[in-house]
Amino acid sequence: MSAGIELWPPQASHHAEQVDLLIGSFGAMVWLLTLPVFVLMTWFTIRYRRSHQVNRQHAPTHNLWVELGWSVIPFLLTLGFYVWATMLFFDIHRPPPDAMTIHVVAKQWMWKYQHPEGAREINDLHVPAGEPVELVMTSEDVIHSFFVPGLRIKQDLVPGRYTSLWFNASRPGRYALRCAEFCGTDHSVMGGNLIVLQPQDYAAWLSRSADGGLDGTLAETGATLFRQMGCSGCHAAASPVRAPALGGIFGRPVALSDGRTVIADEQYLSDAILLPNKEIAAGYPSIMPTYGNVLTAEQVNALVAYLKSTHAAQDSK
Ligand code: HEC
Ligand SMILES: [Cu+2]
């Protein structure tokens, strides 16, 4: 890696090419709209300077078509850019359904990643080339921002909230990533590399990292936590405590005590664990303890992954 400042980072995905095209075209439009103003201004100041003898009679005061032209054309051009940029923006927030999910937890001052198969890593993130990868991200302390210049993607990580984006890195290689939100003393060293590998190299990397055999998949870690943390004491079918059955809850509508119905997505489940009094399942006592100070963001991710992996008891009949 060169130590100098990279003026134009490499393009590591199709999205990066599209962003560059947008920025390049926008730059061209800015020149197109500004250059005539300055050229004419310079020309007029020279031609109509006081000492110069020119015909100053019958100067035109207005011209409807010219005025309409310089209002309507820039308006339509900039509106076009608004639509184009918005489409790109929505695109990076709508992952394809087959994207693999990697969980990212930021904290002062490091990035922690967890792959669906269980492999964990810090600061450097390995991903396969040519496959859609969704990052589901949260922060353990303050707001951080995940920025990979080579992919032209950047997204804030907010404590207590999940944010996400996705990418499809096309070229194997090593691309710098960094935190783009001032987050305290060591903000400037909060970075790492996105390491894009050929799919077979990624598979090899995954099995090597799993060699330690410590952590199963994220969902398996969650299943263990579900017992260790006493969740099953209330939520298991055989439990004497009246608590909702959680099998297959992910993606289902849940009736709340205030009459609303919400879909149990990742945010709902994580809130149910961290802030149980925020939304209470209809018909149940609000006796669930708060796990806000007990569980780390990674443990909550694991519990949510476990809940996602379960199926309702009725489904198996
Ligand atoms: C003391 C018993 C108890 C324990 C321990 C407990 N819960 Fe709960 N939980 C409840 C009750 C009662 C409700 C329903 C009322 C509410 O929403 O707060 C609930 C609600 C939930 C919901 C929302 C369910 C729905 O249908 O909307 C989730 C998710 C959940 N718990 C997960 C967990 C997890 C994960 C743990 C362990 C970290 C846990 N609970 C520990 C009693 C408990
Ligand atoms: Cu940061």
Side-chain angles (χ1 to χ4, degrees):
M1 284 262 123
S2 70
I5 298 171
E6 263 180 357
L7 282 183
W8 208 267
Q11 295 174 328
S13 67
H14 180 54
H15 177 75
E17 289 162 23
Q18 288 178 310
V19 170
D20 287 356
L21 187 63
L22 175 77
I23 303 286
S25 316
F26 192 76
M29 182 196 67
V30 170
W31 278 109
L32 193 81
L33 297 182
T34 332
L35 214 56
V37 174
F38 283 91
V39 169
L40 286 175
M41 216 164 71
T42 315
W43 184 47
F44 286 153
T45 22
I46 294 167
R47 184 174 157 84
Y48 293 102
R49 68 189 187 280
R50 199 183 222 177
S51 59
H52 196 212
Q53 294 291 326
V54 274
N55 179 9
R56 292 183 166 85
Q57 308 266 287
H58 310 298
T61 56
H62 63 271
N63 180 323
L64 183 66
W65 289 109
V66 170
E67 283 167 26
L68 274 181
W70 76 40
S71 310
V72 173
I73 294 171
F75 175 69
L76 291 180
L77 275 176
T78 42
L79 204 66
F81 274 96
Y82 164 71
V83 173
W84 182 0
T86 307
M87 278 162 44
L88 267 183
F89 176 82
F90 279 122
D91 188 45
I92 60 163
H93 289 284
R94 292 210 186 110
D98 59 337
M100 70 182 255
T101 306
I102 295 181
H103 284 272
V104 183
V105 175
K107 64 177 266 194
Q108 287 166 324
W109 288 277
M110 62 169 88
W111 301 102
K112 296 188 281 187
Y113 313 101
Q114 196 148 25
H115 294 253
E117 294 80 3
R120 294 154 187 261
E121 46 185 339
I122 285 179
N123 293 341
D124 285 353
L125 173 61
H126 292 76
V127 295
E131 282 174 32
V133 176
E134 183 188 13
L135 302 179
V136 174
M137 316 195 284
T138 191
S139 165
E140 227 165 88
D141 37 45
V142 299
I143 299 180
H144 300 271
S145 180
F146 187 81
F147 180 32
V148 189
L151 295 172
R152 313 290 190 273
I153 55 172
K154 186 197 278 177
Q155 173 65 51
D156 277 8
L157 293 85
V158 185
R161 211 201 283 175
Y162 286 106
T163 53
S164 73
L165 39 80
W166 76 278
F167 59 86
N168 188 334
S170 40
R171 271 170 232 162
R174 180 180 268 266
Y175 306 96
L177 65 88
R178 51 183 44 95
C179 181
E181 179 82 51
F182 179 64
C183 58
T185 324
D186 282 345
H187 160 68
S188 59
V189 295
M190 184 167 168
N193 291 293
L194 178 80
I195 298 160
V196 180
L197 301 171
Q198 292 291 4
Q200 65 273 20
D201 297 339
Y202 174 73
W205 175 85
L206 259 191
S207 57
R208 262 204 315 283
S209 335
D211 267 358
L214 302 167
D215 359 294
T217 66
L218 196 55
E220 283 162 14
T221 313
T224 313
L225 281 170
F226 197 73
R227 285 189 307 276
Q228 278 173 358
M229 291 290 161
C231 318
S232 53
C234 290
H235 286 285
S239 160
V241 180
R242 216 160 63 80
L246 298 178
I249 185 172
F250 186 76
R252 297 243 179 112
V254 178
L256 300 179
S257 59
D258 61 7
R260 285 183 302 137
T261 300
V262 294
I263 298 291
D265 55 7
E266 282 163 333
Q267 185 72 55
Y268 174 80
L269 295 176
S270 116
D271 285 351
I273 299 168
L274 295 172
L275 314 157
N277 292 327
K278 185 178 159 207
E279 287 159 326
I280 295 163
Y284 291 95
S286 59
I287 49 163
M288 174 160 158
T290 306
Y291 287 87
N293 297 323
V294 182
L295 297 170
T296 64
E298 287 154 287
Q299 290 176 314
V300 176
N301 282 341
L303 282 166
V304 171
Y306 164 67
L307 292 177
K308 280 171 86 167
S309 73
T310 60
H311 301 282
Q314 302 92 284
D315 283 356
S316 50
K317 271 192 200 155

